[in-house]
């Protein structure tokens, strides 16, 4: 039952109880009507026998019976007998064996080979003739057959009724639970698109589900507001920090330009400068991400030769990598054209290559590959560095996540890959990572060639 939907459970429950209720009521109804029919057959029989007495007269010792005596009313056969039991007049039903001894005012039930009969006799004194018996006979089987036919009809109609009730119950439950489906779909969409601006929007209603949906929408409203405030806060802080960091950098440069400072002071100022540069980079990543969250980050796409641009970035990174004894290799198909934002594309590539260099060993390599299909550009940045553990792999795209903090210096904030992911997604593409600890990592991305007008 656990695996069943609420709709199915309610429908089954509803149908089960409806069937039970119908069966019980039909059973009661049939047993009552069965008794009622038999009682009315018996009273008809008595009445007809009594009426039969009025049709008989005696004239000078012989009987004069009215022709009405022979008429069959309500399926009752009347016959007339002398005091010693000899048949005098009347009709008997076909198949009735007439073996019962005559009685007075007693209703007998007999079972013959052709069915079951009610027999009712009445003895009376006829003026001018003497004692007589009137016998009334009627078939019980015929009455019971009519009940049986009705029962059979009910047995055919009942399953149809169950099916009809089931369908009706299902439709009703589906309609009632429709708002619950809307709520689920809204939550799923919010999760998928990470879009808190969506609402269930069922409108006003008095039932519990409408109230739930309204409460849910109010909660979303509050969540959206508080997330919005948080985004705004990050954006404001990053903005405010930009100026002091720029001032620190220019002041460091100015001090470093002076010749009279001691070598020790020069080293100290260089360290301050390096840290300020790391901070400036982190602030720039934060600003981009908070603008992206607020939907304010625009892309300036243009058709570019990605082969050339990638080659250029690789060469630049090669110079930095050489200092660490790492090689940056390129296998790039010529003349790959796509519509991208140049500065964002460079930022994405620089991040992936510099990670490949940072998380590597002397003598290692980073390989950038790029090919194209008719519709998309397929690229990869691979290294034979330290690799990423399977537990860390799904988390590397999270903000401020660093898999191995002890191995990274302060220039690594853990924001790089979040930014890379946003850039690729904003271009309508996708990116994924594969890695094996101790062997290396591979980042594969796909970008559509055409300009995506929605972004
Ligand atoms: P960071 O600024 O720390 O490099 P990223 O978002 O770029 O932040 O990367 C997140 C984490 O993913 C890194 O701290 C690192 O542990 C791991 N990582 C990223 N790229 C690689 C790579 N090529 N090889 C091994 N680990 C990597």
């Amino acid at each position: 039952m656990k695996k069943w939907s609420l709709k199915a459970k309610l429908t089954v429950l509803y149908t089960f109880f409806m069937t039970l209720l119908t069966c019980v009521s039909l059973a009661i109804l049939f047993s009552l009507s069965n008794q009622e029919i038999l009682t009315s057959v018996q009273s008809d029989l008595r009445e007809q026998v009594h009426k039969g007495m009025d049709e008989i007269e005696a004239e000078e010792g012989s009987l004069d019976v009215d022709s009405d005596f022979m008429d069959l009313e309500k399926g009752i056969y009347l016959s007339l007998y002398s005091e010693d039991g000899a048949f005098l007049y009347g009709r008997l039903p076909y198949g009735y064996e007439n073996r019962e001894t005559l009685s007075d005012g007693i209703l007998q039930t007999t079972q013959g080979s052709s069915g079951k009969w009610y027999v009712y006799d009445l003895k009376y004194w006829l003026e001018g003739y003497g004692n007589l018996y009137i016998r009334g006979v009627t078939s019980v089987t015929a009455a019971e057959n009519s009940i049986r036919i009705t029962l059979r009809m009910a047995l055919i109609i009942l399953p149809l009724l169950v099916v009809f009730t089931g369908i009706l119950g299902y439709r009703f439950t589906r309609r009632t639970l429709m708002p619950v489906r809307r709520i689920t779909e809204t939550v799923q969409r919010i999760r998928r698109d990470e879009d808190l601006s969506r609402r269930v929007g069922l409108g006003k209603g008095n039932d519990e589900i409408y109230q739930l949906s309204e409460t849910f929408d109010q909660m979303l409203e509050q969540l959206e507001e508080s997330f919005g405030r948080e985004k705004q806060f990050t954006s404001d802080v990053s903005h405010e920090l930009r100026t002091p960091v720029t001032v620190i950098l220019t002041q460091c440069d100015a001090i470093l330009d002076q010749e009279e400072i001691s070598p020790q002071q020069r080293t100290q100022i260089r360290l301050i400068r390096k840290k300020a540069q790391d901070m400036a980079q982190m602030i720039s990543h934060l600003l981009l991400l908070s603008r992206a969250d607020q939907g304010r980050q625009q892309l300036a796409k243009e058709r570019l030769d990605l082969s050339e641009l990638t080659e250029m970035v690789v060469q630049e990174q090669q110079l930095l990598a050489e200092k660490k004894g790492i090689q940056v290799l390129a296998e790039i198909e010529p003349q790959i054209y796509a519509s991208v934002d140049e500065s964002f594309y460079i930022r994405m590539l620089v991040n992936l290559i510099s990670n490949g260099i940072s998380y590597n060993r002397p003598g290692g390599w980073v390989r950038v590959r790029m090919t194209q299909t008719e519709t998309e550009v397929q690229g990869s940045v691979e290294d034979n560095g330290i690799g990423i553990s399977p537990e860390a792999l799904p988390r590397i795209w999270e903000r401020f996540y660093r898999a191995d903090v002890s191995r990274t210096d302060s220039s690594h904030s853990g924001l790089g890959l979040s930014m890379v992911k946003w850039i690729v997604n904003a271009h309508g593409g996708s990116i994924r990572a594969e890695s094996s600890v101790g062997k290396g990592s591979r980042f594969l991305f796909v970008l559509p060639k055409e300009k995506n007008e929605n972004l």
Side-chain angles (χ1 to χ4, degrees):
M1 270 296 238
K2 256 189 189 174
K3 285 186 186 153
W4 288 18
S5 70
L6 194 58
K7 208 161 45 187
K9 278 186 208 167
L10 284 175
T11 311
V12 169
L13 206 75
Y14 176 84
T15 316
F16 173 75
F17 280 112
M18 274 305 283
T19 314
L20 197 74
L21 200 77
T22 321
C23 284
V24 171
S25 354
L26 277 180
I28 295 173
L29 217 74
F30 272 114
S31 89
L32 286 179
S33 61
N34 197 6
Q35 279 170 22
E36 184 57 37
I37 289 173
L38 294 181
T39 318
S40 97
V41 169
Q42 290 169 6
S43 67
D44 283 349
L45 179 62
R46 279 194 194 95
E47 192 186 321
Q48 285 304 312
V49 170
H50 283 278
K51 264 179 157 179
M53 286 185 342
D54 303 338
E55 314 296 342
I56 308 159
E57 282 169 20
E59 245 174 64
E60 294 161 13
S62 68
L63 287 174
D64 179 14
V65 185
D66 197 286
S67 64
D68 286 354
F69 191 83
M70 295 293 265
D71 287 349
L72 201 63
E73 256 184 65
K74 296 176 182 172
I76 293 161
Y77 293 79
L78 295 179
S79 48
L80 210 57
Y81 302 85
S82 64
E83 193 169 15
D84 53 6
F87 178 82
L88 298 175
Y89 189 77
R91 290 171 66 185
L92 286 168
Y94 179 75
Y96 172 63
E97 285 141 19
N98 204 14
R99 282 179 309 193
E100 288 68 40
T101 45
L102 290 163
S103 62
D104 183 18
I106 297 169
L107 187 98
Q108 302 179 69
T109 310
T110 80
Q111 179 69 54
S113 56
S114 57
K116 205 168 159 190
W117 308 92
Y118 279 144
V119 181
Y120 181 71
D121 304 326
L122 200 68
K123 185 181 177 185
Y124 81 105
W125 171 259
L126 183 65
E127 200 64 46
Y129 188 83
N131 274 328
L132 272 177
Y133 281 99
I134 296 185
R135 168 162 280 185
V137 181
T138 187
S139 169
V140 185
T141 314
E144 281 179 346
N145 274 352
S146 76
I147 298 168
R148 231 170 267 138
I149 287 167
T150 325
L151 190 70
R152 228 171 276 153
M153 290 275 287
L155 287 179
I156 296 167
I157 290 169
L158 188 70
L160 293 177
L161 204 75
V162 170
V163 172
F164 180 71
T165 315
I167 294 172
L168 213 73
Y170 179 79
R171 290 178 75 97
F172 177 75
T173 317
R174 203 175 63 168
R175 245 187 104 87
T176 314
L177 292 181
M178 196 87 91
V180 177
R181 221 177 75 191
R182 281 266 294 269
I183 296 174
T184 316
E185 278 171 5
T186 310
V187 178
Q188 280 169 347
R189 260 193 238 128
I190 290 173
R191 273 194 56 192
R192 194 187 57 219
D193 307 341
E194 292 180 6
D195 179 5
L196 273 174
S197 66
R198 292 186 185 277
R199 298 288 176 271
V200 183
L202 280 186
K204 293 265 174 221
N206 278 336
D207 79 24
E208 289 81 354
I209 297 179
Y210 274 83
Q211 282 169 10
L212 173 74
S213 126
E214 212 182 320
T215 317
F216 197 79
D217 279 349
Q218 285 165 358
M219 189 190 73
L220 282 176
E221 189 92 45
Q222 279 176 358
L223 273 178
E224 195 188 4
E225 263 174 44
S226 77
F227 272 103
R229 275 199 299 273
E230 193 196 297
K231 284 175 197 161
Q232 191 57 47
F233 176 74
T234 318
S235 167
D236 292 348
V237 170
S238 318
H239 241 287
E240 292 304 316
L241 285 176
R242 244 174 22 163
T243 321
V245 172
T246 315
V247 172
I248 295 170
L249 280 172
T250 38
Q251 290 305 314
C252 285
D253 285 342
I255 298 169
L256 287 173
D257 282 346
Q258 293 170 19
E259 280 173 7
E260 58 271 24
I261 58 166
S262 69
Q264 198 197 353
Q265 284 171 323
R266 193 169 289 278
T267 314
Q268 287 168 337
I269 298 297
R270 278 208 181 111
L271 186 66
I272 296 172
R273 193 174 181 280
K274 170 78 179 74
K275 296 289 168 195
Q277 270 175 340
D278 290 346
M279 228 167 125
Q281 197 190 23
M282 189 174 107
I283 290 167
S284 128
H285 284 175
L286 264 180
L287 257 178
L288 183 146
L289 287 171
S290 62
R291 273 203 219 112
D293 284 346
Q294 290 172 322
R296 290 195 290 122
Q297 187 62 62
Q298 299 292 320
L299 295 186
K301 286 188 183 177
E302 50 185 325
R303 200 169 145 77
L304 295 173
D305 184 343
L306 283 197
S307 310
E308 221 171 70
L309 192 60
T310 312
E311 199 78 56
M312 194 190 79
V313 175
V314 168
Q315 277 170 19
E316 251 176 48
Q317 294 296 309
Q318 182 104 52
L319 298 175
L320 301 170
E322 271 167 12
K323 288 184 201 156
K324 296 187 176 178
I326 292 162
Q327 255 189 308
V328 183
L329 313 160
E331 287 173 23
I332 299 164
E333 208 181 294
Q335 297 201 315
I336 300 178
Y337 284 92
S339 190
V340 296
D341 180 307
E342 186 174 359
S343 74
F344 280 128
Y345 178 76
I346 294 174
R347 272 172 98 164
M348 175 203 82
L349 217 53
V350 166
N351 253 279
L352 291 176
I353 300 172
S354 69
N355 274 354
I357 298 168
S358 299
Y359 304 106
N360 215 320
R361 287 173 285 245
W365 50 258
V366 178
R367 188 182 288 121
V368 181
R369 283 198 175 104
M370 194 171 266
T371 53
Q372 62 178 330
T373 66
E374 214 164 287
T375 53
E376 56 189 31
V377 179
Q378 295 169 346
S380 71
V381 178
E382 191 179 350
D383 64 66
N384 65 341
I386 60 167
I388 307 164
S389 68
E391 306 83 62
L393 198 60
R395 303 196 55 195
I396 55 172
W397 310 102
E398 290 173 17
R399 290 177 195 182
F400 294 108
Y401 180 78
R402 289 187 289 166
D404 189 354
V405 181
S406 61
R407 293 200 61 139
T408 53
D409 56 44
S410 64
S411 66
H412 292 273
S413 59
L415 284 173
L417 287 181
S418 320
M419 192 189 69
V420 166
K421 196 173 173 62
W422 179 82
I423 294 173
V424 176
N425 290 345
H427 280 85
S430 63
I431 185 164
R432 66 190 169 89
E434 295 168 350
S435 189
S436 171
V437 177
K439 287 191 180 156
S441 313
R442 182 154 53 160
F443 290 82
L444 300 117
F445 62 86
V446 175
L447 294 173
K449 278 184 171 173
E450 287 309 311
K451 195 169 180 168
N452 192 339
E453 298 299 342
N454 296 331
L455 295 163

